[in-house]
Each structure stands twice: as structure tokens, then as C-alpha cells.
Amino acid sequence: MSQLKVFNSYTRQKEVFKSIVDGHVGMYVCGPTVSGESHLGHARPYITFDIIYRYLMHLGNKVRYVRNITDAGHFEEEGREAEDKISKKAVIEKLEPMELVQKYTNLFHWAMLQFNNIEPNIEPTATGHIVEQINMIEKIIEDGFAYVVNGSVYFDVKKYAETHEYGKLSGRKIDDLLETTRELEGQDEKRNKQDFALWKAAPPEHIMRWKSPWGEGFPGWHIECSAMATKYLGHEFDIHGGGMDLQFPHHESEIAQSTICNGHAPVRYWLHNNMITINGRKMGKSYNNQIMLTQMFSGDHPLLEKGYSPMTIRFFILQTHYRSTLDFGNEALLAAEKGLKRLWEAYETLQKLPATDNATPADTELDEKVKKLISEFEEFMNDDFNTAKVLANMFELVPVINGIKDKHIAANAMSATTFALLKSSFKTYLEDILGMRSENETNNGKLDGVMQLLIEMRKEARGKKDYATSDKIRNQLLEMGILLKDEKGGDMSYSFE
């Protein structure tokens, strides 16, 4: 059996994975900022780390998977520093900030359920860990690596860089950071431009605020993850994951904070998935090509020819190695849809084929070919989770499966042992590890949960007199054969037409 190797972003090389405690793995993945609906950019990291989570468990590990929810505003290091995304959106939607947080957290969870992602073991929120963040900041100040100005606290990057490597993960040099840091609000408070905020004093209009030793304010983005990862995974843990866009400044800053606070580097293996593009362009509001997951499923977006099922999107993502860029285009998605249909039909055919009792294969060459293709499943997954190659091997086995069904290949061509291995391996890898499930799979409990979510969204729209959205939800459900009924007292129910 080959050893699992992972590409460590920190060392920029593949390394044999060895957990701190044998048989136990601690993994932290940066979760979403729930200031809006989940978009296509959320699909890739959480599907990627769902696969990693599944495979680590398949290898016999007990995994503690921690994925946070950022609900404390999270001002941008690359934009207006004091801007609170959640408070700003709450004002627009006329909701309490935590009401908005709950709404979009629910939508995020719903989307992850559609993708068949397993829930993390712990999902801490930033607002639930203000005390831990303040404690970390106090320790960093005490050790002389942070300073207080006008009620805000900044991490002293220049001082840290005198004795530590700041910029190693992202490949940035501290001298370059001095020259390239943008002019941001509050920069004149800092000793150096590259210093980042651990705590920000809250201006009078800021809704989300907490008491601290430095006055009322709110935590910096980076300190949230350091505090939660330390609390649930310890001073040093095995894997920290996220998208490549988080390497700087977020993960770089996490390393600095945690190293000072805990006395050593916090993470053994840094894993990062690459970015996605839409028709060759980076996804972003400025390009007007940000596609929400609900739009992806429904096709209700000018860049989409049609809607694509969650399993098609999951399959499409897994056809490319997680460290390669991935372009979402209609042509590629349509091809993925067809490919998934072909593969799943072959899998269902395989499950129905009767077992044979022949001890020796009639076609030794075919038997050896099938065994080799199956044995490579594990080899490819152990090579930095290469799902693309596993799927390629599965497609090579499709003609064999179809050949037996159509009687072009004799039922006894393979030995009974090889045939049993083919059946069990397909199920283990396609369903248990890659997390694929039938497009036609119906779970009434899940469906009811989704419907209740849509009913709540329609009620909310009607309450705001947003009749366009209210009618759109009702009409689109009607097109799918689901009738929403308005009951007495403002309640709603649904039935299938």
C-alpha cells in the first residue's frame, strides 16, 4: 500500500502525510462569511475538503473537521478597513445582523446538503469566540508583538519578521509588502503599512460591537480563525485548508499570530485549492459574473444556458485536480452532465449484474487489466487526492461493464474475486469517497426542509412587499410541478401537481 502524500503549500512540495497523533487527524478549513448568499466560489473548497475528509476517514483515521462561520462583520484588509459587510447588508435588507447571519447560514447549509457534503464535526462562529480572541490579543501584546492605537490593536509585522519568516506561505517578501500595501482607512494609525488589525475600535454607526480592554470594537478577520483553530485543535494541528486566495493576507497572518501566541508554528500541512473562472474570467462582482448556487441549480443567470444539478457540479469539480484552475463554462458543464450520466448508468448496471462463481478468469488479460485499474484508485488518491485520475480509470471500466451487460464480454471473463472487487470498489470510491449519489435519489425529509426554506423566503419577500421575488418563487416551483398554497393566518403549504 502506498503512503498518502499531500502538497504542502508552506514548503511547496509533496510530503508524506503523518499526523501528530497516529490515527487521529485535526483539520481546520476557513468557512464562509455569511453576509450574502453562497456563490459558485463556495462550491470548490467545500467539495474539495469534503473529499479529503472522506478519504482520511477511509484510511482509518478519526478526523476532527472544524469549519468556521465568519459572522462578526469581517472588515477587509484590501478595502475600507472599518467596513462591516454583515452590518451593511443588514441595513439594506432591514434585518437585525444576527437575523441576516442566520438566514445566510441556513442557505449555506442547504447548498452543502445539495452537494452531499458531510457536515464538519465542529462549526464554531466568530461571535461565539470573542473572549478567546481577546485573550489571544492580550498575549500577543504582552509578548511585545502588537500595539494599541486609539482603541485599535495592530500586529507588528516588522518586529515579527526580525525573528520569523513572514511571507513564506504566500511567497511575498516583507520589503515588497511595504511598497505594495494599498492606502487604506486607518493606515496613519499604524507603525508600518503592512501591520494588520487584531482589534478595531468601533465607530458610532457600527452595529456589531463588543467590550474589550481597549474599548468597544470588533475583532480582526485573521484573529478569528487563530482563536477557533487553537481552541478546538490545539496549539499545533495537522491540516489547515482553504482557497489559494486566502494565503495572503489571511493565512499568513494566522501563522504569525498563532506562532507568537502558542510558541511555535500552528500547522503541519497547508492545503489550498486553486481558483475557479467563469468562461475564462475570474469570478467577481466587478466582472458581473458572480453566480449564486441557487442560480447555478436553476439556470437563472445570463451566463448560463440552463440549470445544472448539484451532482453535475460536484462531478465537474472532481474531474480536475484541486490544485489546478477550473473554468466553468456551459460547454464543459454539459459535457460533465453527459459524462456523469454515462458513469452512473454503468455503476447501476454493475450493481445489478449477477455474481459469477468461476475461480479462474476466461480472459486473463482482461482480468489483469481490471485489477490494475482498480488498484490505481488508491494509488491516485494517495497522490495528493487525485480524483481526476480515479474518474478517468472508472471511465475505462465503463465499456467492460456495458460489454458484460450486452453480452459482448462473457460473464466469466473475470474471476469471481475480480468481479466482486470491481463491484465493491466502484461503490466505495464513487459513493463513499467521491460522495456521488443518484440524481434521482429522493429523500422526503431533505425535500421538506428545502421547501420550508423556500416558504420562509417567500414569506419574507411578501412581508417586505417584494412581490416580484414572491411571485418568482411560486411560479418557478409551479413549473417544476410543485404548487404553493396560501393558507389562513399567513401560513403556506405545498403539494405536487
mmCIF file of all heavy atoms in Angstrom, residues 130 134 138 151 153 199-200 210-218:
data_model
loop_
_atom_site.group_PDB
_atom_site.id
_atom_site.type_symbol
_atom_site.label_atom_id
_atom_site.label_comp_id
_atom_site.label_asym_id
_atom_site.label_seq_id
_atom_site.Cartn_x
_atom_site.Cartn_y
_atom_site.Cartn_z
ATOM 1 N N ILE A 130 -15.488 35.541 21.005
ATOM 2 C CA ILE A 130 -14.877 36.860 21.223
ATOM 3 C C ILE A 130 -13.899 36.803 22.393
ATOM 4 O O ILE A 130 -12.808 37.378 22.336
ATOM 5 C CB ILE A 130 -15.973 37.928 21.488
ATOM 6 C CG1 ILE A 130 -16.913 38.053 20.261
ATOM 7 C CG2 ILE A 130 -15.335 39.270 21.825
ATOM 8 C CD1 ILE A 130 -16.279 38.578 19.001
ATOM 9 N N ILE A 134 -9.963 37.888 22.323
ATOM 10 C CA ILE A 134 -9.397 38.924 23.199
ATOM 11 C C ILE A 134 -8.215 38.361 23.991
ATOM 12 O O ILE A 134 -7.171 39.014 24.131
ATOM 13 C CB ILE A 134 -10.485 39.496 24.141
ATOM 14 C CG1 ILE A 134 -11.467 40.367 23.327
ATOM 15 C CG2 ILE A 134 -9.867 40.312 25.278
ATOM 16 C CD1 ILE A 134 -12.686 40.839 24.106
ATOM 17 N N GLU A 138 -4.393 39.812 23.913
ATOM 18 C CA GLU A 138 -3.685 40.231 25.134
ATOM 19 C C GLU A 138 -2.322 39.557 25.237
ATOM 20 O O GLU A 138 -1.331 40.197 25.621
ATOM 21 C CB GLU A 138 -4.531 39.888 26.370
ATOM 22 C CG GLU A 138 -5.731 40.804 26.547
ATOM 23 C CD GLU A 138 -6.554 40.481 27.784
ATOM 24 O OE1 GLU A 138 -6.789 39.277 28.030
ATOM 25 O OE2 GLU A 138 -6.945 41.421 28.486
ATOM 26 N N GLY A 151 -7.713 52.798 20.601
ATOM 27 C CA GLY A 151 -8.690 51.738 20.826
ATOM 28 C C GLY A 151 -8.615 50.579 19.850
ATOM 29 O O GLY A 151 -9.367 49.607 19.961
ATOM 30 N N VAL A 153 -6.034 47.620 17.923
ATOM 31 C CA VAL A 153 -4.801 46.879 18.188
ATOM 32 C C VAL A 153 -4.250 46.354 16.870
ATOM 33 O O VAL A 153 -4.991 45.760 16.077
ATOM 34 C CB VAL A 153 -5.047 45.687 19.149
ATOM 35 C CG1 VAL A 153 -3.723 45.000 19.494
ATOM 36 C CG2 VAL A 153 -5.765 46.133 20.413
ATOM 37 N N TRP A 199 -7.741 44.010 16.441
ATOM 38 C CA TRP A 199 -8.991 44.535 17.006
ATOM 39 C C TRP A 199 -9.193 45.945 16.477
ATOM 40 O O TRP A 199 -8.227 46.693 16.360
ATOM 41 C CB TRP A 199 -8.896 44.563 18.537
ATOM 42 C CG TRP A 199 -10.177 44.943 19.222
ATOM 43 C CD1 TRP A 199 -10.555 46.190 19.627
ATOM 44 C CD2 TRP A 199 -11.236 44.055 19.601
ATOM 45 N NE1 TRP A 199 -11.785 46.137 20.223
ATOM 46 C CE2 TRP A 199 -12.238 44.837 20.225
ATOM 47 C CE3 TRP A 199 -11.452 42.682 19.467
ATOM 48 C CZ2 TRP A 199 -13.423 44.293 20.709
ATOM 49 C CZ3 TRP A 199 -12.631 42.131 19.952
ATOM 50 C CH2 TRP A 199 -13.598 42.926 20.567
ATOM 51 N N LYS A 200 -10.424 46.290 16.119
ATOM 52 C CA LYS A 200 -10.705 47.632 15.610
ATOM 53 C C LYS A 200 -11.688 48.348 16.522
ATOM 54 O O LYS A 200 -12.708 47.784 16.930
ATOM 55 C CB LYS A 200 -11.318 47.550 14.200
ATOM 56 C CG LYS A 200 -10.302 47.303 13.103
ATOM 57 C CD LYS A 200 -9.340 48.463 12.912
ATOM 58 C CE LYS A 200 -10.020 49.661 12.275
ATOM 59 N NZ LYS A 200 -9.025 50.739 12.010
ATOM 60 N N TRP A 210 -18.281 44.842 20.675
ATOM 61 C CA TRP A 210 -18.088 44.143 21.945
ATOM 62 C C TRP A 210 -17.132 44.936 22.832
ATOM 63 O O TRP A 210 -16.265 45.672 22.331
ATOM 64 C CB TRP A 210 -17.499 42.755 21.704
ATOM 65 C CG TRP A 210 -18.435 41.825 21.013
ATOM 66 C CD1 TRP A 210 -19.280 40.927 21.607
ATOM 67 C CD2 TRP A 210 -18.634 41.684 19.604
ATOM 68 N NE1 TRP A 210 -20.000 40.254 20.646
ATOM 69 C CE2 TRP A 210 -19.628 40.687 19.403
ATOM 70 C CE3 TRP A 210 -18.103 42.299 18.469
ATOM 71 C CZ2 TRP A 210 -20.080 40.296 18.155
ATOM 72 C CZ3 TRP A 210 -18.532 41.924 17.210
ATOM 73 C CH2 TRP A 210 -19.516 40.930 17.056
ATOM 74 N N LYS A 211 -17.291 44.767 24.149
ATOM 75 C CA LYS A 211 -16.391 45.427 25.096
ATOM 76 C C LYS A 211 -15.064 44.675 25.104
ATOM 77 O O LYS A 211 -15.028 43.452 24.996
ATOM 78 C CB LYS A 211 -16.998 45.424 26.494
ATOM 79 C CG LYS A 211 -18.167 46.388 26.637
ATOM 80 C CD LYS A 211 -18.723 46.382 28.043
ATOM 81 C CE LYS A 211 -19.894 47.369 28.152
ATOM 82 N NZ LYS A 211 -20.500 47.351 29.500
ATOM 83 N N SER A 212 -13.987 45.424 25.241
ATOM 84 C CA SER A 212 -12.651 44.832 25.292
ATOM 85 C C SER A 212 -11.778 45.699 26.195
ATOM 86 O O SER A 212 -12.171 46.819 26.554
ATOM 87 C CB SER A 212 -12.046 44.775 23.880
ATOM 88 O OG SER A 212 -11.521 46.041 23.521
ATOM 89 N N PRO A 213 -10.588 45.224 26.550
ATOM 90 C CA PRO A 213 -9.684 46.055 27.364
ATOM 91 C C PRO A 213 -9.294 47.357 26.669
ATOM 92 O O PRO A 213 -8.793 48.282 27.319
ATOM 93 C CB PRO A 213 -8.452 45.152 27.548
ATOM 94 C CG PRO A 213 -8.960 43.762 27.358
ATOM 95 C CD PRO A 213 -10.041 43.884 26.326
ATOM 96 N N TRP A 214 -9.536 47.444 25.350
ATOM 97 C CA TRP A 214 -9.110 48.633 24.591
ATOM 98 C C TRP A 214 -10.293 49.513 24.192
ATOM 99 O O TRP A 214 -10.150 50.454 23.434
ATOM 100 C CB TRP A 214 -8.343 48.162 23.341
ATOM 101 C CG TRP A 214 -7.439 47.037 23.721
ATOM 102 C CD1 TRP A 214 -6.280 47.123 24.444
ATOM 103 C CD2 TRP A 214 -7.669 45.642 23.474
ATOM 104 N NE1 TRP A 214 -5.773 45.863 24.666
ATOM 105 C CE2 TRP A 214 -6.589 44.933 24.083
ATOM 106 C CE3 TRP A 214 -8.656 44.911 22.812
ATOM 107 C CZ2 TRP A 214 -6.483 43.541 24.040
ATOM 108 C CZ3 TRP A 214 -8.560 43.534 22.782
ATOM 109 C CH2 TRP A 214 -7.496 42.858 23.387
ATOM 110 N N GLY A 215 -11.483 49.169 24.692
ATOM 111 C CA GLY A 215 -12.680 49.919 24.349
ATOM 112 C C GLY A 215 -13.618 49.081 23.495
ATOM 113 O O GLY A 215 -13.304 47.937 23.148
ATOM 114 N N GLU A 216 -14.767 49.622 23.151
ATOM 115 C CA GLU A 216 -15.734 48.873 22.341
ATOM 116 C C GLU A 216 -15.239 48.747 20.907
ATOM 117 O O GLU A 216 -14.771 49.719 20.311
ATOM 118 C CB GLU A 216 -17.104 49.559 22.360
ATOM 119 C CG GLU A 216 -17.853 49.357 23.657
ATOM 120 C CD GLU A 216 -19.345 49.591 23.511
ATOM 121 O OE1 GLU A 216 -19.793 50.008 22.429
ATOM 122 O OE2 GLU A 216 -20.074 49.357 24.494
ATOM 123 N N GLY A 217 -15.361 47.545 20.370
ATOM 124 C CA GLY A 217 -14.896 47.338 18.999
ATOM 125 C C GLY A 217 -15.275 45.960 18.511
ATOM 126 O O GLY A 217 -16.193 45.325 19.035
ATOM 127 N N PHE A 218 -14.533 45.489 17.532
ATOM 128 C CA PHE A 218 -14.815 44.168 16.957
ATOM 129 C C PHE A 218 -13.498 43.556 16.479
ATOM 130 O O PHE A 218 -12.530 44.265 16.202
ATOM 131 C CB PHE A 218 -15.823 44.268 15.801
ATOM 132 C CG PHE A 218 -15.437 45.242 14.719
ATOM 133 C CD1 PHE A 218 -14.818 44.803 13.560
ATOM 134 C CD2 PHE A 218 -15.701 46.602 14.860
ATOM 135 C CE1 PHE A 218 -14.467 45.691 12.554
ATOM 136 C CE2 PHE A 218 -15.350 47.499 13.853
ATOM 137 C CZ PHE A 218 -14.735 47.048 12.703
#
